[in-house]
Amino acid sequence: MENKRNSLPGPEDIYREVLPNGVTVLARSNFNSPSVVVAGYYDAGALFDLDEKLGLAEFTTAALMRGTQERTFDEIYYALESVGASLGFNTGIHKSGFHGRSLVEDLPLLLDLLCEALLQPVFPKAEMEKLRAQLLTGLAIRAEDTGDMASMVFDQILFKGHPYSRPEDGYPETVQAITRSDLVKFHREHYGPRGTVIAIVGAVKPEEAARQVKRTLGGWQVKGQKEVPDLPPLKMLKRTVNKHHRIAGKSQSDLVIGTNGPMRRDPEFMSASIGNNILGQFGMMGRIGDIVREKSGLAYYAYSSMNAGIGPGSWEVSAGVSPQNVKKASELIVEELKRFAQEGVTTDELADTKANFIGRLPISLESNGGVANALLNIERHDLGLDYYRRYEGLVNEVTAEDVLNTARKFIDPDKLAIAVAGP
């Protein structure tokens, strides 16, 4: 057992260094594969977007590789493809991020391209218009997707008046309103070394990985990089709020029913995760899947999820149902949430879920990408370098009473957000 635990990332094999300019480097070696993964994040998420330019953070990240001071769009992709490497960017509410992989001998090239995209994008006008067309197509597809729209309406109910109520990719009118100078300004004000974290995992010594990061990002300096805004307090639901978003001509309705959940740093996070697994994840999607899908045959899919991050989280049940079954499925889900908050979980359910949590951890850390994500998770939420060594203990100490108390704290069946999208 001790041996298995020691193969998990821990303080003696995770390298961590904060460069003088504020960039944090995390590295761990894995010489079992010839490749290397580079992943990270930086403080330029959608939280900075103005309502009338919503989608600007996402537009900016999508534009980074469309041309830099050194290379055109085609040259960037040719450089990656010629060595079988990949590099991409993504946007979140608090942070934006990147993920790349290559053979270890191409790590310098991968970091050169990452550095150019982060520090020297030129936002060529023709490419920006092509990109805008793609973003608008994505929004048109979203508007017809019952699952996407149910999620969006759910966020609007649960996080009313809060930045989390806004879709990161914006709306057609806000994306239309974004100019090239908006992109240049957003990049100038929000991209910088402070808050940037980069993890490198694979067939490279950690000191060499850190040296390569210093070579490329060590000199990055930005005057006046803007501070991340504080989140306003969240107004909790006082009663159940229902909203039906009509999309004509659909053969399926999607529904999202739920409430607030813990933040990642909250003491209830682990008991909520374990409870959520029993409620609507484990096996055939837990109790929710069993009652709504298996026993009643009412749903194409039904499961629960818990989203816990830097700010207030959500705890929700999602289901896809035939339009005539929306009311019945909703009632069943609310009943199941009520039962969960009243009765909690059984000894067997708890034991099975704990075994599942402990058993799947090593599997999630088998790939370089899995380890890189784990290192970023530790850093983002300040969990401690020994977090994965402590993980089994954290899981095992959760009791049935903890799960019940957590369910009661967060799930009030009389104060739910219920969002439906469909005909």
Side-chain angles (χ1 to χ4, degrees):
M1 190 71 234
E2 198 52 42
N3 211 13
K4 187 177 91 178
R5 192 174 296 142
N6 284 344
S7 69
L8 300 172
E12 73 289 334
D13 65 6
I14 299 171
Y15 178 95
R16 182 179 183 277
E17 182 181 353
V18 181
L19 305 187
N21 64 350
V23 172
T24 301
V25 184
L26 301 163
R28 187 174 189 254
S29 295
N30 171 24
F31 288 101
N32 295 326
S33 97
S35 68
V36 62
V37 162
V38 174
Y41 57 79
Y42 51 96
D43 284 337
L47 212 51
F48 286 112
D49 286 350
L50 299 172
D51 284 346
E52 61 273 18
K53 302 272 173 145
L54 196 54
L56 177 56
E58 179 148 312
F59 202 148
T60 308
T61 48
L64 295 173
M65 290 174 64
R66 294 295 178 117
T68 67
Q69 288 169 22
E70 311 287 328
R71 295 171 228 240
T72 63
F73 179 44
D74 289 342
E75 285 167 347
I76 290 167
Y77 283 90
Y78 178 76
L80 287 165
E81 280 168 15
S82 64
V83 295
S86 65
L87 178 63
F89 286 82
N90 61 287
T91 317
I93 295 180
H94 290 268
K95 319 264 184 196
S96 290
F98 50 85
H99 191 278
R101 60 191 304 258
S102 71
L103 290 172
V104 69
E105 59 265 30
D106 300 312
L107 176 61
L109 169 70
L110 190 61
L111 287 173
D112 284 344
L113 292 167
L114 173 68
C115 178
E116 283 176 33
L118 281 175
L119 276 66
Q120 310 174 342
V122 290
F123 307 112
K125 199 147 183 46
E127 287 296 339
M128 293 310 94
E129 292 313 314
K130 277 191 221 163
L131 184 53
R132 188 194 310 274
Q134 284 175 16
L135 295 170
L136 291 169
T137 301
L139 294 179
I141 293 167
R142 180 186 78 185
E144 289 295 314
D145 187 301
T146 50
D148 283 353
M149 292 313 293
S151 288
M152 203 162 113
V153 172
F154 176 81
D155 286 346
Q156 286 166 355
I157 301 170
L158 190 66
F159 297 113
K160 190 179 177 185
H162 190 275
Y164 284 13
S165 67
R166 312 183 308 169
E168 289 141 53
D169 40 4
Y171 300 99
E173 62 277 16
T174 62
V175 171
Q176 286 285 18
I178 292 167
T179 63
R180 181 180 173 275
S181 60
D182 291 327
L183 298 167
V184 172
K185 181 171 184 265
F186 187 90
H187 178 267
R188 187 179 65 238
E189 291 182 345
H190 304 301
Y191 278 61
R194 192 191 60 239
T196 295
V197 176
I198 180 166
I200 300 183
V201 179
V204 60
K205 287 188 171 148
E207 297 76 16
E208 174 56 21
R211 197 180 68 74
Q212 289 289 347
V213 175
K214 284 174 200 159
R215 176 182 69 80
T216 46
L217 295 173
W220 192 13
Q221 299 289 345
V222 173
K223 275 201 173 70
Q225 184 188 347
K226 293 213 167 171
E227 292 282 348
V228 179
D230 289 331
L231 283 177
L234 182 64
K235 293 185 184 73
M236 299 303 214
L237 290 173
K238 293 194 167 49
R239 58 183 175 82
T240 289
V241 178
N242 275 283
K243 275 199 181 149
H244 190 129
H245 178 84
R246 306 267 167 205
I247 307 178
K250 294 289 171 184
S251 57
Q252 176 175 320
S253 290
D254 279 73
L255 55 144
V256 183
I257 299 177
T259 182
N260 302 98
M263 296 195 274
R264 179 62 186 82
R265 294 281 298 153
D266 282 349
E268 299 91 355
F269 173 76
M270 187 59 84
S271 53
S273 294
I274 285 173
N276 178 62
N277 198 51
I278 294 165
L279 177 65
Q281 295 264 319
F282 192 53
M284 301 295 281
M285 299 306 166
R287 292 179 179 179
I288 293 284
D290 186 50
I291 196 89
V292 183
R293 189 164 167 253
E294 301 301 312
K295 289 195 175 126
S296 312
L298 280 180
Y300 307 112
Y301 71 86
Y303 63 90
S304 68
S305 53
M306 197 188 76
N307 303 307
I310 293 169
S314 64
W315 199 341
E316 58 203 66
V317 174
S318 307
V321 300
S322 180
Q324 66 267 26
N325 290 333
V326 166
K327 187 169 182 292
K328 210 167 165 193
S330 298
E331 285 166 0
L332 271 180
I333 289 166
V334 174
E335 271 309 303
E336 202 52 43
L337 288 172
K338 200 175 281 184
R339 187 166 85 87
F340 181 65
Q342 277 170 357
E343 299 171 16
V345 300
T346 67
T347 314
D348 285 353
E349 285 175 324
L350 189 60
D352 287 348
T353 278
K354 285 181 175 182
N356 171 252
F357 270 45
I358 292 163
R360 72 189 189 199
L361 177 68
I363 297 164
S364 75
L365 297 169
E366 277 176 358
S367 69
N368 291 336
V371 174
N373 287 337
L375 301 188
L376 295 174
N377 188 37
I378 285 173
E379 186 68 29
R380 183 180 305 214
H381 301 293
D382 195 19
L383 302 176
L385 294 181
D386 62 345
Y387 175 72
Y388 292 101
R389 302 279 173 87
R390 291 186 291 115
Y391 181 82
E392 189 173 329
L394 294 172
V395 171
N396 277 329
E397 70 191 21
V398 174
T399 64
E401 195 182 0
D402 293 334
V403 175
L404 180 60
N405 290 339
T406 298
R408 285 180 177 165
K409 176 173 176 177
F410 290 100
I411 298 171
D412 183 338
D414 298 320
K415 296 176 187 171
L416 297 171
I418 301 180
V420 180

